[in-house]
Amino acid sequence: MQGILEKYLPERAVSPCLELIKQFGVNLKIVNQRVTRHGDYRRRPNGSHQITVNASLNKYRFLVTLIHEIAHLMAFEKYGYNIKPHGLEWKKTFQYLMLPFLRPEIFPSELLPFLANHFKNPKASSDTDARLSLALKQFDDIERKLSYIFELPHDSIFRIYNGKLFQKKYKKIKRYECVEMATGKVYLFQPNAEVELIKS
């Protein structure tokens, strides 16, 4: 397991993550990219714990995702399975587990302020924290062929991962109103959603 983790995590995070995986008896599966989530936690019918994390994540997002999922396991074990998945118990557990990793030996110094701000009140996904998400994306290996919603001109047309076409409209507080071309329905998009620009 150590050799596998060394491929996906920052060097100084490997040993502490391995300890957590052993401590909780986690069956860790590294899977092909899923568009809708970075990872997930499942308690199997036999009582064992399975965590999946996308192989395509950069090492810093992989670490945040792995600890996010271990926090689910730990919160459910400590507080019971009736708690909200991303409620107060999970937030406190996630903060507690992440604290030892928020160091310059593990994360680049330019990421630490974004992480510190995020962990004051962690969200259900690091993607809903637009500033952290953009900061993390700077470390992705793949060449960027997509655009962020906030970069697109008003009224431009774009395609999302499932092929649906939208037209960008107005900003509403933090998110953008976009109209689905086929139905005329209005949807709200995070500013850091990655889309394919079709027509500006």
Side-chain angles (χ1 to χ4, degrees):
M1 175 59 77
Q2 180 156 342
I4 293 166
L5 291 178
E6 284 169 357
K7 286 169 54 180
Y8 294 101
L9 288 169
E11 184 183 348
R12 294 284 188 90
V14 172
S15 291
C17 284
L18 192 56
E19 285 303 311
L20 287 170
I21 288 167
K22 286 178 180 172
Q23 180 184 341
F24 292 105
V26 171
N27 174 24
L28 176 64
K29 286 177 72 177
I30 298 166
V31 298
N32 291 331
Q33 182 171 357
R34 296 157 298 182
V35 177
T36 54
R37 61 179 61 182
H38 297 306
D40 66 19
Y41 160 69
R42 288 207 179 107
R43 186 170 187 254
R44 292 162 154 183
N46 67 3
S48 65
H49 306 286
Q50 180 176 295
I51 287 175
T52 59
V53 182
N54 290 0
S56 58
L57 303 180
N58 71 51
K59 58 189 174 181
Y60 306 115
R61 194 185 289 277
F62 192 101
L63 174 56
V64 171
T65 302
L66 177 60
I67 301 302
H68 173 123
E69 301 307 336
I70 292 173
H72 279 303
L73 186 170
M74 193 170 161
F76 285 134
E77 291 278 293
K78 185 173 181 181
Y79 301 103
Y81 280 81
N82 292 325
I83 61 170
K84 290 181 180 176
H86 296 105
L88 190 61
E89 298 87 353
W90 170 80
K91 286 177 190 253
K92 285 182 174 180
T93 306
F94 194 15
Q95 289 167 326
Y96 169 77
L97 287 174
M98 271 307 293
L99 196 58
F101 293 98
L102 298 179
R103 305 191 333 250
E105 307 93 86
I106 292 176
F107 285 101
S109 55
E110 63 264 36
L111 266 182
L112 287 170
F114 295 102
L115 288 160
N117 189 57
H118 178 78
F119 280 98
K120 287 177 187 171
N121 184 20
K123 309 279 189 290
S125 168
S126 57
D127 282 347
T128 54
D129 182 339
R131 297 173 94 182
L132 175 59
S133 182
L134 292 173
L136 284 166
K137 277 179 183 156
Q138 293 176 53
F139 298 92
D140 288 351
D141 292 334
I142 49 175
E143 189 182 326
R144 214 168 134 241
K145 294 178 182 154
L146 301 175
S147 302
Y148 298 123
I149 292 267
F150 76 84
E151 297 174 320
L152 303 181
H154 180 75
D155 281 338
S156 57
I157 295 169
F158 62 89
R159 180 184 290 126
I160 63 171
Y161 68 91
N162 62 9
K164 291 183 179 180
L165 294 174
F166 291 83
Q167 186 170 35
K168 179 182 172 181
K169 290 299 182 182
Y170 302 97
K171 188 173 185 183
K172 294 283 182 184
I173 305 171
K174 290 184 178 178
R175 297 185 289 176
Y176 287 89
E177 275 189 353
C178 301
V179 178
E180 186 180 1
M181 302 297 284
T183 63
K185 286 185 181 174
V186 176
Y187 291 85
L188 292 173
F189 282 80
Q190 292 286 350
N192 59 312
E194 290 186 294
V195 298
E196 180 188 354
L197 177 62
I198 303 298
K199 183 182 172 189
S200 56

